Amino acid sequence: MSLAVQIDRNGGPEVMQLVDVPVGDPGPGEIRIRHKAIGLNFIDVYQRSGLYQLPMPLKLGMEASGVVEAVGEGVTHLKVGDRAAYASQPPGSYCEVRVMPAKCVCKLPDAISFETGAAMMLKGLTAQYLLRRTLPVEGLNPGDFVLFHAAAGGVGLIACQWAKALGLRLIGTAGSDAKCQLARDNGAEFCINYSTEDFAAKVKEITGGQGVKVVYDSVGKDTWDKSLDCLRPFGLMASFGNASGAVAPFAPGILGNKGSLYVTRQTLFSHITTRERTQAMADELFDVVLSGKVKIHIDQTFPLAQVQEAHRALEARKTTGCTILTL
Ligand SMILES: NC(=O)c1ccc[n+]([C@@H]2O[C@H](COP(=O)([O-])OP(=O)(O)OC[C@H]3O[C@@H](n4cnc5c(N)ncnc54)[C@H](OP(=O)(O)O)[C@@H]3O)[C@@H](O)[C@H]2O)c1
């Protein structure tokens, strides 16, 4: 048996309940993993609230680290006793122990702690595919400007550091002066407080009227329109989240008027469909973390039993960097 966080209807943090669930043996292609730490992500909020609809009852959580306890037929990259970490479908990582597909579970290097492993897989693989694979038609080169919203958050702080390591000039946005300072301390060359400043005007000023090559936008509804105004001609609007709500439908003609812009809506789960690609992405993430170029900031820790408080803090914009749930 395992304690697990489950919901039987969509709603606020109060719908999350700790329940006892049975845990079986892994089938073909699966492992059983006993968690050491669990990562909190904004997607957990969307799944809980119902912005992303999934069948009920629903176990929550997409990220964790732990020790492999049993291995099913056909799994060759993991063995019993391995330290491991993952960002993976299906949801259900808010628990002590689970059976799950092995495909997206990676061996965790000895020099990376369980806490860091749990905090960084979903957010770090996201920063990886955004900065390395979600590129404008002309590509990204050292010295290019990009705009990254919510730069002091979990994905944001990783992206600030990684962009700097790639030589990119990252302009961040964040909701307070203290968060802006944190983003600058972590590699953002500029950071705009979008609660008090017009970020589009500021981006134009910083880039000498040119605009940026890419906007990485996870805020959604509140930032969409102005983000289009931050792009230079043929620039890429890379939407990857909706922390403020879903983006409203729009007429494609607007992209022509604003300089023949490109738009994409990205999700990590299109990138990690195969074991090989997941491992290649994770290897790049492990490299930047082990080299010290990217530090994983775990700024909040909650016991699993206080998961409701953790969600409240994340939704109220009270967190910075990564948040983990401990067992
Ligand atoms: N598509 C993908 O593959 C993928 C993968 C991972 C994450 N994501 C998305 O990336 C974003 C960051 O994820 P994360 O887990 O690292 O979360 P996070 O950035 O730590 O937290 C979300 C941040 O969004 C900002 N925000 C702006 N408006 C908000 C609002 N109305 N309500 C709440 N927050 C608001 C807040 O920062 P400020 O106070 O500074 O504004 C908040 O701290 C999320 O939107 C998530 O869904 C997408």
Side-chain angles (χ1 to χ4, degrees), residues 40-43 46 52 122-123 126 129 150-156 173-176 179 194-195 218-219 222 239-245 265-269 314-321:
L40 184 76
N41 290 284
F42 221 90
I43 191 172
Y46 307 143
Y52 296 173
L122 197 147
K123 300 163 201 79
T126 299
Y129 85 70
V155 178
T173 60
S176 71
K179 285 185 177 185
Y194 51 14
S195 307
S218 65
V219 172
D222 289 356
S239 169
F240 70 104
N242 6 245
S244 67
R265 176 55 163 94
Q266 291 283 312
T267 168
L268 172 64
F269 300 104
L314 185 61
E315 287 179 272
R317 305 165 79 161
K318 288 187 178 150
T319 63
T320 55

Side-chain angles (χ1 to χ4, degrees), residues 79-132:
K79 60 181 189 318
V80 172
D82 278 348
R83 303 169 77 252
Y86 66 85
S88 178
Q89 302 273 21
S93 70
Y94 289 3
C95 67
E96 296 166 312
V97 54
R98 72 183 292 201
V99 169
M100 64 180 296
K103 191 175 72 179
C104 295
V105 182
C106 297
K107 270 180 84 164
L108 187 63
D110 288 342
I112 299 180
S113 70
F114 285 118
E115 289 74 17
T116 298
M120 77 178 193
M121 290 300 284
L122 197 147
K123 300 163 201 79
L125 293 178
T126 299
Q128 194 277 347
Y129 85 70
L130 289 173
L131 295 173
R132 305 274 294 124

Side-chain angles (χ1 to χ4, degrees), residues 103 135 267 299 323:
K103 191 175 72 179
L135 305 176
T267 168
D299 292 346
T323 303

Side-chain angles (χ1 to χ4, degrees), residues 224-225 228 248-258 263:
W224 176 265
D225 287 336
L228 296 179
F250 68 96
I254 195 169
L255 303 175
N257 299 341
K258 290 182 185 286
V263 171

Side-chain angles (χ1 to χ4, degrees), residues 163-199:
K164 182 161 191 193
L166 293 169
L168 300 173
R169 305 184 72 183
L170 184 144
I171 305 170
T173 60
S176 71
D177 290 345
K179 285 185 177 185
C180 283
Q181 187 58 50
L182 184 62
R184 281 193 296 269
D185 291 345
N186 282 277
E189 187 172 331
F190 302 90
C191 191
I192 305 162
N193 180 344
Y194 51 14
S195 307
T196 56
E197 287 185 278
D198 177 342
F199 72 82

Side-chain angles (χ1 to χ4, degrees), residues 22-26 32 99:
V23 184
D25 290 323
R32 190 170 67 232
V99 169

